[in-house]
Amino acid sequence: MIKNKLITSFLFIGVLATSGFAQESNNSLSKMTLKEAFAGKFLIGCADDLRINNEAYQSSIKTQYDIVTPENSMKPQSVHPTEGKYNFVSTDAMVDWCEKNGLQVWGHTLAWHGQTPRWFFQEKSASIGENANVKTSFSNPTIPPPPPPTTPPTTTSNPPRSNWGGNRGGVDTSPQASKEVVLERLKNHIMTVAGRYKGRLVGWDVFNESIADGGDGKTENLRTFSWYKAVGPEVITMAFKWAHEADPKAQLYYNDYNIEQGAVENKGKHASSMLLLKRLIAEGAPISGVGIQGHWHLNTNLADVEKAIENYASLGLKVSITELDVTATGDNSGAMGVNQGDRKIPAENYQKQADVYKKLFEIFMRHSDVIDRVTFWGLSDTRSWRRGQDALLFDGDLNPKPAYKAVIEASVTK
């Protein structure tokens, strides 16, 4: 009888000790920041131009993240609005601020069909003055004053990213420049922009969103306007070579949305991305990795996400999740005009969102040997291009949501 009581006592003490350890472990996790939780696994980043940040946002950036991607200020429209004229005021201030505060910077993006001024593709006589002779209803983003930011964020601080691009059929009616002229302009742009920040940026998204939506996955399915019409498929390889020449130590990525879709069955946009990446490697493009943007929603196919990471790694490439957000309502992708969903989001959706985020980060942890970086596209639900769909880990007052806790918990999985 005494022996049984002793065994029972030891078991009870063991339970208390285990319970106490678990509670202490949970308390320790709850106090972790994002970058602390994933230290030694991969970098944690955010996207912001650092133009309008109050003290709370500045503190959040410094506390939670390792690396910052400029959301709009390094895109061609902002930094190179007219031929021979560059505007580095905002980008210089951003890079300076990050360096002073111990943050790394990722460049985004050297070439894209969107937010690229028309002059890149026009004859000189047609390109005097920004976007001359262009008949379009799209508006061009302006370049606001640089940091240091002192005022609270407003609804216009992070405008929805534009899908406005050069040389789209039916829009630009001006005479088009020759292939040689277009290539020379792109080379000068890359050499100037990437060269300016040589040694100061971790890497660059060299080309962005080259693959069209749809398609059966039997071809690269490149877009049929902008760079791909003015030059051809080889423009991507050439851009990588110029970026490497401008900054030999920078990591160089191809970046796109929805390229994980179809990975399990090797079809659709994923299959097209594999064909594109294999060609770039075969042509000697100095490509370091591929960026899966990660604009996802509550019903995202997680099996495709994991298989895509495995497939890209099989090519010898690193992988980053470059523009992560998971909408709590409606659809999501890197394209414009998706279903925004019901703006009166039910409470259970936030728990579903947390579950998706946790499963995603469990996938990332399983593949931390090939994943370099996970970057959230924005800072809060109101500092996001998916404003109204509550897609990030923090609400508009920077309070952590259930998804934040779920992501932190995923950091201890294998």
Side-chain angles (χ1 to χ4, degrees):
M1 188 71 174
I2 293 174
K3 183 178 180 181
N4 289 341
K5 286 183 178 179
L6 284 172
I7 292 172
T8 301
S9 297
F10 284 131
L11 288 173
F12 180 67
I13 292 170
V15 169
L16 284 177
T18 303
S19 175
F21 176 79
Q23 185 175 359
E24 183 179 344
S25 177
N26 287 335
N27 288 338
S28 178
L29 275 178
S30 67
K31 296 176 182 178
M32 279 189 172
T33 65
L34 291 169
K35 68 179 182 181
E36 289 172 343
F38 295 96
K41 298 298 182 182
F42 39 75
L43 298 176
I44 295 292
C46 66
D48 194 73
D49 290 310
L50 306 183
R51 289 168 174 159
I52 307 175
N53 286 322
N54 60 17
E55 187 175 341
Y57 273 94
Q58 290 184 15
S59 176
S60 178
I61 294 169
K62 290 184 285 187
T63 301
Q64 295 289 346
Y65 306 105
D66 300 293
I67 188 167
V68 180
T69 300
E71 187 172 8
N72 288 296
S73 61
M74 280 187 180
K75 290 171 181 172
Q77 178 65 53
S78 296
V79 82
H80 200 177
T82 59
E83 188 163 15
K85 180 182 178 182
Y86 289 88
N87 189 327
F88 291 114
V89 174
S90 292
T91 52
D92 282 353
M94 178 200 168
V95 173
D96 288 345
W97 187 89
C98 287
E99 288 178 338
K100 289 175 183 176
N101 289 282
L103 289 151
Q104 300 178 65
V105 180
W106 186 270
H108 176 82
T109 173
L110 291 172
W112 186 30
H113 65 272
Q115 287 175 260
T116 297
R118 301 279 191 249
W119 68 259
F120 274 98
F121 309 99
Q122 296 170 337
E123 286 186 4
K124 278 191 177 292
S125 60
S127 60
I128 299 172
E130 186 175 352
N131 304 318
N133 301 323
V134 177
K135 299 177 181 179
T136 176
S137 60
F138 293 101
S139 59
N140 299 336
T142 57
I143 302 174
T150 56
T151 56
T154 67
T155 56
T156 58
S157 59
N158 272 343
R161 68 182 193 178
S162 169
N163 203 32
W164 182 83
N167 209 26
R168 181 186 289 274
V171 175
D172 191 346
T173 59
S174 60
Q176 299 297 291
S178 68
K179 175 179 177 177
E180 292 73 21
V181 168
V182 173
L183 278 174
E184 186 63 24
R185 288 169 174 171
L186 179 59
K187 180 180 180 179
N188 289 339
H189 173 80
I190 291 173
M191 296 299 291
T192 301
V193 178
R196 184 180 186 88
Y197 300 107
K198 179 181 178 180
R200 300 179 71 188
L201 270 60
V202 175
W204 281 94
D205 293 328
V206 177
F207 243 96
N208 193 48
E209 300 178 3
S210 300
I211 303 170
D213 296 324
D216 56 13
K218 295 181 180 179
T219 69
E220 294 178 12
N221 195 33
L222 298 183
R223 298 179 187 273
T224 57
F225 57 95
S226 188
W227 303 106
Y228 321 103
K229 178 180 178 182
V231 177
E234 66 270 26
V235 69
I236 305 175
T237 301
M238 298 171 80
F240 271 90
K241 291 180 177 181
W242 291 328
H244 180 67
E245 184 180 347
D247 191 351
K249 293 184 179 180
Q251 298 176 41
L252 304 178
Y253 270 57
Y254 173 73
N255 190 57
D256 212 332
Y257 67 90
N258 286 356
I259 51 173
E260 77 285 349
Q261 290 188 3
V264 171
E265 299 180 30
N266 191 33
K267 65 180 185 181
K269 200 164 185 178
H270 178 75
S272 290
S273 74
M274 292 292 286
L275 292 174
L276 170 60
L277 293 168
K278 288 176 181 177
R279 174 174 67 83
L280 295 179
I281 293 169
E283 291 178 352
I287 181 170
S288 311
V290 57
I292 303 173
Q293 288 187 7
H295 295 297
W296 292 319
H297 52 81
L298 299 182
N299 297 311
T300 287
N301 186 326
L302 300 179
D304 272 346
V305 174
E306 185 156 24
K307 183 61 175 173
I309 294 170
E310 293 170 352
N311 287 348
Y312 296 141
S314 74
L315 301 179
L317 297 174
K318 288 290 188 178
V319 179
S320 290
I321 311 301
T322 56
E323 304 184 15
L324 180 59
D325 46 27
V326 178
T327 55
T329 182
D331 299 330
N332 197 6
S333 75
M336 303 298 291
V338 301
N339 169 27
Q340 293 288 300
D342 186 356
R343 297 308 177 94
K344 296 179 180 179
I345 304 173
E348 59 265 26
N349 280 29
Y350 294 106
Q351 188 54 54
K352 292 178 183 176
Q353 181 186 53
D355 293 341
V356 173
Y357 264 118
K358 185 172 184 179
K359 290 175 182 176
L360 283 168
F361 272 82
E362 288 171 348
I363 291 171
F364 305 155
M365 286 293 291
R366 285 197 290 272
H367 299 281
S368 60
D369 58 326
V370 298
I371 291 182
D372 273 351
R373 171 175 50 99
V374 177
T375 290
F376 294 89
W377 204 245
L379 296 173
S380 72
D381 284 342
T382 54
R383 294 291 296 276
S384 163
W385 79 302
R386 288 301 184 205
R387 184 185 178 95
Q389 292 181 284
D390 292 7
L392 294 171
L393 303 187
F394 299 94
D395 67 18
D397 295 318
L398 288 176
N399 297 312
K401 294 158 56 182
Y404 179 87
K405 179 182 178 183
V407 167
I408 296 293
E409 289 174 350
S411 69
V412 297
T413 63
K414 294 183 179 179

